[in-house]
């Protein structure tokens, strides 16, 4: 059996800090390096912001479920919501050098997720919408 | 935030919608969900055999009802199954005696537009407990669990006796047993979730404990929790103006539920509406919007 953790909160922006702390604490307890932990938090933050802003738009927000599954070689972050489904797809890199007036609004969220995670999967089922983010762990064996 | 999103405009079809279930479907892809409508199209004995799995056997035996035949000790039927052909709804009701006027267990499941299953109704009443006429107003019109009209005198008596809004008798303390059974039943049908709309704040709280999350209304539950704390708008609205708004009611689930039934959410410019919950089969969402609650 792998090591699983779950937290559920309302889909609102205040929840992001709670989820970040949850990931922080889980990573620290398992000795996961700070760079990996940062990537997990960044990807979670971007994905959850999207659900909160778009997925639950126009309705009293429902739940946002964050599952963490730790295995020896990887961490799997699953974000489940019950709002409007959307399909994330790998975007072109946004042009960060473009002048502010020439840039599209946003555009960095999915890019960050795909850059920081090793695998991104999305499922819409009767159980809700699930974004599954996999991050491989690069353990360094002490000399 | 994301730059581009592709929102789905149509619900994802997860299964065909058969007119009736065929043996071919049963021995075919076991992962394809079976609809209530599909089961209802089966011969009477076959659908009864299937729906038997929806009732915890111990609920029947404790009322001296044979869990196979559904008959009482005198041989008379005490379980009523309504599962009409061409309808995607099934209703199962149990009486503790053949001539009882009330049922003590009533469950209704229905197919929904997303090829999932809705739990439309769940009643679990202790038939030995006192009966309150909260289901009819003083003109004899049904209150529909207090959602359409109210019988204020009976509501007050029920509240003082420890009932929650919408109840006519004390609960049977069997919701955990039922939801375990429902999980098994839904697995058998290859469904992964069940959805419902809680009638009251108290029932939403119970469903949280049984593993449900919110499709809509989680923030509302958080708002209710926050505003019932001392200094909050709902706490201030417990002003003793009606029997259902007494100052101490913020401390308990039932107290809050009666105040909400009495319309106290107008203090937040909202009302109890549009709350929808979902339970993933075999999983507990871990929602707890009223930590350390007293029921």
């Amino acid at each position: 059996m792998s090591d699983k953790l779950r937290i559920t909160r309302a889909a609102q922006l205040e929840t992001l800090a709670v989820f970040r702390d949850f990931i922080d604490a889980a990573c620290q307890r398992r000795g996961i390096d700070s760079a990996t932990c940062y990537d997990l938090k960044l990807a979670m933050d971007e994905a959850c912001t999207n659900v909160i802003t778009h997925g639950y738009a126009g309705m009293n927000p429902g739940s946002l479920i964050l599952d963490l599954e730790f295995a020896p070689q990887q961490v799997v972050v699953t974000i489940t919501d019950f709002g409007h489904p959307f399909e994330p797809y790998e975007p072109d890199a946004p042009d960060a050098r473009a002048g502010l007036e020439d840039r599209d609004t946003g555009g960095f969220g999915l890019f960050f997720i795909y850059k920081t995670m090793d695998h991104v999967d999305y499922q819409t089922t009767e159980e809700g919408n699930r974004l599954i983010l996999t991050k491989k762990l690069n353990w360094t064996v002490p000399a | 935030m994301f730059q581009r999103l592709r929102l789905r405009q149509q619900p994802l079809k997860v299964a065909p919608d058969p007119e009736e279930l065929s043996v071919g479907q049963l021995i075919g892809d076991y992962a394809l969900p079976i609809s209530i409508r599909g089961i209802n199209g089966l011969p009477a004995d076959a659908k009864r055999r299937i729906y038997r799995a929806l009732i915890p056997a111990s609920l029947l035996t404790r009322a001296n009802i044979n869990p196979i035949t559904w008959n009482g000790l005198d041989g008379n039927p005490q379980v009523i199954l309504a599962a009409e052909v061409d309808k995607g709804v099934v209703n199962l009701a149990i009486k503790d005696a053949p001539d009882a006027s009330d049922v003590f267990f009533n469950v209704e499941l229905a197919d929904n537009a997303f090829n999932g299953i809705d739990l439309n109704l769940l009643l679990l009443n202790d038939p030995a407990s006192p009966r309150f006429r909260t289901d009819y107003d003083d003109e004899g019109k049904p209150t529909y669990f207090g959602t359409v009209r109210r019988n204020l005198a009976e509501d007050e008596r029920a509240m003082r006796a420890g009932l929650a809004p919408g109840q006519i008798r004390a609960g049977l303390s069997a919701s955990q047993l039922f939801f375990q059974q429902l999980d098994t039943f839904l697995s058998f049908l290859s469904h992964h979730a069940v959805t419902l709309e809680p009638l009251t704040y108290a029932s939403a709280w119970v469903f949280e404990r049984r593993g449900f999350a919110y499709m809509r209304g989680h923030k509302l539950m958080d708002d209710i929790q926050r505003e019932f704390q001392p200094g909050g708008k709902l706490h201030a609205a417990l002003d003793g103006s009606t029997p259902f708004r007494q100052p101490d009611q913020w401390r308990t689930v039932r107290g809050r539920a009666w105040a909400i039934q009495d319309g106290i959410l107008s203090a937040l410019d909202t009302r109890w509406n549009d709350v929808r919950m979902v339970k993933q089969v075999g999983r507990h969402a871990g929602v707890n919007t009223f930590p350390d609650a007293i029921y």
Side-chain angles (χ1 to χ4, degrees):
Chain A
M1 299 274 276
S2 56
D3 180 9
K4 294 180 181 176
L5 299 171
R6 168 174 273 207
I7 184 171
T8 306
R9 292 288 186 272
Q12 50 190 341
L13 292 173
E14 294 87 332
T15 290
L16 297 177
V18 177
F19 281 7
R20 281 194 293 268
D21 290 347
F22 186 74
I23 293 174
D24 251 339
C27 287
Q28 276 181 24
R29 275 199 300 275
R30 288 156 186 83
I32 290 172
D33 65 275
S34 57
T36 300
C37 187
Y38 180 85
D39 285 349
L40 294 172
K41 286 188 290 182
L42 180 68
M44 176 283 297
D45 215 287
E46 294 293 346
C48 289
T49 300
N50 186 64
V51 170
I52 293 163
T53 311
H54 300 293
Y56 281 115
M59 63 175 89
N60 189 303
S63 302
L64 200 51
I65 302 175
L66 174 67
D67 287 301
L68 302 179
E69 184 171 357
F70 294 89
Q73 302 303 324
Q74 64 183 27
V75 183
V76 179
V77 178
T78 304
I79 296 159
T80 305
D81 74 272
F82 309 96
H84 303 299
F86 68 93
E87 297 171 74
Y89 62 99
E90 188 157 8
D92 300 330
D95 185 0
R97 291 172 300 179
L100 281 177
E101 65 278 10
D102 298 326
R103 277 192 216 171
D104 291 330
T105 306
F108 291 90
L110 272 177
F111 179 72
F112 281 140
I113 290 175
Y114 275 94
K115 281 295 167 195
T116 53
M117 297 293 112
D118 292 294
H119 187 69
V120 177
D121 188 24
Y122 183 76
Q123 303 166 357
T124 297
T125 70
E126 62 177 323
E127 284 185 278
N129 313 309
R130 275 200 196 126
L131 184 63
I132 304 164
L133 311 170
T134 304
K135 178 78 175 170
K136 289 184 179 153
L137 296 174
N138 298 309
W139 296 103
T140 50
V141 181
Chain B
M1 289 205 303
F2 296 170
Q3 182 179 20
R4 286 161 291 187
L5 297 174
R6 286 186 289 181
L7 296 175
R8 286 184 203 274
Q9 298 303 315
Q10 300 293 326
L12 192 69
K13 281 279 182 187
V14 295
D17 188 15
E19 289 299 306
E20 64 182 50
L21 198 59
S22 68
V23 173
Q25 285 168 310
L26 270 180
I27 62 175
D29 183 352
Y30 61 79
L32 270 183
I34 294 171
S35 67
I36 300 294
R37 184 186 168 98
I39 300 169
N40 287 358
L42 292 171
D45 283 353
K47 63 183 162 190
R48 181 169 159 147
R49 186 181 285 270
I50 291 172
Y51 287 133
R52 205 161 52 196
L54 190 50
I55 307 175
S58 60
L59 271 188
L60 294 165
T61 54
R62 81 168 76 161
N64 291 319
I65 299 169
N66 185 312
I68 307 301
T69 65
W70 288 350
N71 293 336
L73 292 175
D74 57 3
N76 287 316
Q78 286 180 227
V79 179
I80 305 150
L81 169 65
E84 290 181 46
V85 175
D86 291 336
K87 302 272 188 194
V89 181
V90 57
N91 188 299
L92 270 165
I94 314 175
K95 293 182 172 188
D96 68 315
D99 56 350
S101 55
D102 293 324
V103 297
F104 74 89
F105 171 92
N106 194 186
V107 63
E108 184 170 295
L109 295 179
D111 298 327
N112 65 30
F114 300 93
N115 281 347
I117 300 280
D118 286 341
L119 177 57
N120 284 348
L121 177 69
L122 176 62
L123 294 180
L124 293 161
N125 295 328
D126 178 358
S129 68
R131 169 78 154 86
F132 295 87
R133 205 177 145 77
T134 56
D135 48 345
Y136 289 93
D137 70 6
D138 48 14
E139 294 177 1
K141 295 176 182 168
T143 61
Y144 298 105
F145 305 101
T147 57
V148 175
R149 45 184 83 85
R150 296 178 66 190
N151 183 335
L152 290 174
E154 280 298 282
D155 276 0
E156 187 176 348
R157 280 201 333 121
M159 179 178 70
R160 296 195 191 292
L163 272 62
Q167 289 187 303
I168 58 168
R169 294 181 196 271
L172 198 56
S173 301
S175 65
Q176 185 172 12
L177 181 68
F178 171 74
F179 280 111
Q180 286 169 349
Q181 188 81 20
L182 183 61
D183 262 10
T184 305
F185 182 74
L186 292 170
S187 292
F188 167 70
L189 300 186
S190 300
H191 282 280
H192 293 280
V194 62
T195 50
L196 58 79
E197 292 183 5
L199 271 180
T200 68
Y201 175 80
S203 51
W205 181 83
V206 170
F207 294 135
E208 282 183 17
R209 289 167 60 87
R210 298 293 163 246
F212 281 74
Y214 290 90
M215 301 175 79
R216 292 191 294 271
H218 196 142
K219 181 178 179 300
L220 174 65
M221 293 294 282
D222 282 350
D223 291 346
I224 289 170
Q225 162 68 0
R226 186 184 62 250
E227 297 298 338
F228 264 124
Q229 302 307 307
K233 290 178 183 173
L234 296 176
H235 191 276
L238 292 172
D239 53 8
S241 57
T242 78
F244 308 99
R245 299 191 188 201
Q246 297 304 305
D248 266 356
Q249 284 183 219
W250 67 279
R251 297 179 188 278
T252 66
V253 174
R254 279 175 294 188
R256 292 177 179 195
W258 280 110
I260 290 169
Q261 179 91 339
D262 200 46
I264 202 170
L265 291 183
S266 61
L268 302 180
D269 295 323
T270 189
R271 60 199 177 101
W272 185 260
N273 187 34
D274 201 29
V275 178
R276 192 163 178 81
M277 304 181 79
V278 57
K279 165 87 171 60
Q280 299 170 319
V281 169
R283 308 192 76 183
H284 195 294
V287 177
N288 183 6
T289 59
F290 186 177
D292 304 319
I294 301 166
Y295 182 65

